[in-house]
Amino acid sequence: MDKVPSQLVKPDFDTIFMELADNLAKRSHCIKAQVGAVLAKDTRIISIGYNGPPAGTHNCDEEFPEEGCPRDAKGSCSLALHAEQNAILYAVKNGSNIEGSTLYVTLAPCIACARVIYTMKIARVIFLNSYAAYKGIAVEEGVEFLKRFGVEVFQYGSTR
């Protein structure tokens, strides 16, 4: 069997979009976690996002460079939007139809983001890293919620 030259091997779209999400995470001004997201449909990008405070407010790494921004009662950032929220909000704000789309995100959705993802009728979520491991909790709450209500969810690189 002939081997295909590496320059001719084309990455699949899951790889392309996850690599973009990973690069977008580097734009985050959060000093605790950098998360990126890509919303795509039919091999086309609808929207992108990364975690951070609403546009025009502040940058956490500049305003709170030592300790990061204030935390809420659950220990989460009290000032920022999650990467998924930013991608979804930007798409909807600009009139994009996101129903049936796929969300690529570098950290599995939290339960609050999972509710938004389900409500917006996003069909698939592909995540890179575990939110549960990041937060030190036993259950991947957002993933379990989405699966329970019929959203296809899997970790990038795993078998489906």
Side-chain angles (χ1 to χ4, degrees):
M1 178 180 258
D2 293 331
K3 187 173 178 178
V4 178
S6 62
Q7 71 268 22
L8 297 179
V9 176
K10 302 211 181 319
D12 62 25
F13 282 100
D14 286 350
T15 298
I16 291 168
F17 295 145
M18 189 56 77
E19 286 178 358
L20 177 55
D22 195 42
N23 275 316
L24 285 165
K26 297 171 187 168
R27 296 282 311 158
S28 173
H29 288 275
C30 181
I31 66 169
K32 299 194 183 220
Q34 292 76 40
V35 182
V38 174
L39 194 56
K41 189 174 186 180
D42 302 327
T43 71
R44 299 290 185 235
I45 295 171
I46 298 170
S47 184
I48 60 174
Y50 50 89
N51 61 318
T57 59
H58 71 281
N59 289 322
C60 298
D61 58 348
E62 295 168 2
E63 190 169 338
F64 311 102
E66 308 282 319
E67 71 281 356
C69 63
R71 311 313 271 174
D72 65 17
K74 293 183 178 180
S76 295
C77 176
S78 63
L79 303 174
L81 295 166
H82 289 188
E84 306 94 300
Q85 294 169 332
N86 269 323
I88 292 166
L89 288 169
Y90 187 81
V92 172
K93 177 181 172 183
N94 289 293
S96 297
N97 176 10
I98 64 173
E99 186 173 336
S101 63
T102 298
L103 179 67
Y104 298 84
V105 64
T106 59
L107 192 63
C110 69
I111 188 67
C113 286
R115 291 183 196 118
V116 172
I117 291 165
Y118 175 78
T119 300
M120 298 306 297
K121 297 183 174 18
I122 292 170
R124 272 188 345 150
V125 175
I126 302 172
F127 68 92
L128 184 59
N129 299 308
S130 167
Y131 181 81
Y134 167 71
K135 290 300 253 184
I137 57 178
V139 178
E140 205 72 69
E141 298 170 320
V143 170
E144 294 305 313
F145 174 89
L146 291 168
K147 286 180 176 180
R148 178 178 179 198
F149 293 105
V151 177
E152 183 184 351
V153 183
F154 60 91
Q155 189 164 12
Y156 177 75
S158 68
T159 56
R160 296 180 198 178

